[in-house]
Amino acid sequence: MVHESDLLKEEDPLLWWLIQRSADLSDDERLREISQKFIQSFKAKYPTSVWMHLVDPPSYMPLYPESVSHIPEYQQLFLYGGSCYQRLLETRVIQEQLEAGFCRQMNHYGGACYANQLLGFHLISQNECLPQVQIEVLERYLIERIHKQLTWDPRVVELYIQRLMMLALKGQADKIKPIWIHHVLKNQRPDGGWADFNPILTLGPSRAFGFTSSSIVITTPKSQLYPTVQGVLLTSLL
């Protein structure tokens, strides 16, 4: 598993949002302390960052379309959900992502698009940026799409963990088949973490042939930060 000193070098605000949720759900004092160290460090280094809306809400840092245009589109949806800024809502980027068919139109329906979109809607719902009735309709659609992805894509890689995590985050544990959780736990590394790797064939004492989220590789599997953080949140939610 990642050591605290290495973890604190990671400055991805979304990663830390997930860690904070895990700390709250599990009442893990050590995770909470590490999260507070990150928040204080981030605030000291980036006091005017647009990501303060997720790192340490409520933030009163104004958000403008031009200040977030360099950020990937799905992350702009997260920022809108974290801030509810009207000027972001009015942009093409956000308006397109508020459509149920966005991922299909972008030909992203096989990857992380549905899960990312659902996380954006989760933030929007949590902060009441839009009417709940409107968001609930969109969330139901995305939950069904993610459920179908889990059915036809059985690779136990980061995407698999992320999809299960989003179902659990939205209170959809009844849609999670026990065998899916069994697969996740079976793929857990000896150190307690997870890798973005689903082994198919062992090649000697340490290497294996198998799937990642995006390819087929021969590698020495090791725990990786992002699937591990999502795996921890998933198990905290169940």
Side-chain angles (χ1 to χ4, degrees):
M1 192 89 84
V2 179
H3 293 291
E4 178 179 332
S5 58
D6 294 325
L7 182 58
L8 287 169
K9 293 176 184 177
E10 295 291 334
E11 295 185 334
D12 181 346
L14 182 60
L15 180 80
W16 284 97
W17 186 88
L18 296 172
I19 292 172
Q20 289 175 60
R21 299 293 79 69
S22 295
D24 292 340
L25 286 163
S26 63
D27 200 27
D28 188 316
E29 194 58 36
R30 182 169 174 270
L31 270 183
R32 193 173 285 117
E33 288 176 3
I34 294 172
S35 295
Q36 286 303 312
K37 287 181 182 179
F38 166 75
I39 291 170
Q40 296 308 315
S41 173
F42 193 89
K43 287 170 69 174
K45 291 174 69 175
Y46 311 107
T48 61
S49 170
V50 296
W51 288 106
M52 291 305 298
H53 291 277
L54 285 187
V55 171
D56 192 29
S59 171
Y60 302 99
M61 184 65 57
L63 289 180
Y64 303 106
E66 55 270 22
S67 67
V68 302
S69 60
H70 64 288
I71 296 172
E73 292 188 354
Y74 72 94
Q75 293 185 9
Q76 292 183 45
L77 184 65
F78 298 160
L79 284 172
Y80 170 65
S83 68
C84 300
Y85 264 78
Q86 181 66 25
R87 286 190 61 183
L88 291 188
L89 175 61
E90 294 168 355
T91 64
R92 173 196 58 81
V93 169
I94 302 302
Q95 286 296 314
E96 287 182 351
Q97 291 184 84
L98 294 178
E99 296 293 330
F102 169 75
C103 292
R104 280 192 171 276
Q105 292 170 7
M106 299 297 291
N107 292 321
H108 290 162
Y109 49 84
C113 186
Y114 289 125
N116 286 334
Q117 196 178 10
L118 183 57
L119 180 54
F121 289 159
H122 177 74
L123 292 167
I124 291 168
S125 175
Q126 187 177 60
N127 293 309
E128 300 182 343
C129 302
L130 294 173
Q132 291 297 315
V133 172
Q134 177 185 353
I135 295 303
E136 286 171 4
V137 170
L138 293 165
E139 285 185 334
R140 283 197 297 271
Y141 170 79
L142 292 172
I143 286 165
E144 289 303 319
R145 299 307 307 176
I146 290 170
H147 187 267
K148 288 182 178 179
Q149 286 181 317
L150 285 161
T151 301
W152 58 256
D153 184 4
R155 298 170 301 150
V156 187
V157 292
E158 182 180 350
L159 277 175
Y160 192 86
I161 298 171
Q162 181 188 38
R163 290 162 181 164
L164 287 169
M165 179 195 75
M166 283 312 307
L167 291 184
L169 187 63
K170 295 310 301 178
Q172 299 294 314
D174 59 314
K175 291 187 176 294
I176 297 176
K177 297 179 181 180
I179 190 65
W180 293 347
I181 298 301
H182 172 76
H183 290 328
V184 170
L185 296 178
K186 184 179 178 181
N187 220 39
Q188 193 171 16
R189 304 293 305 154
D191 63 1
W194 281 270
D196 181 26
F197 182 71
N198 184 176
I200 300 173
L201 180 64
T202 300
L203 303 174
S206 62
R207 292 171 65 78
F209 169 78
F211 292 105
T212 68
S213 290
S214 58
S215 63
I216 300 176
V217 299
I218 295 174
T219 188
T220 300
K222 295 179 181 179
S223 291
Q224 295 167 275
L225 186 57
Y226 284 83
T228 295
V229 167
Q230 292 174 101
V232 170
L233 180 52
L234 169 61
T235 54
S236 299
L237 285 160
L238 296 175

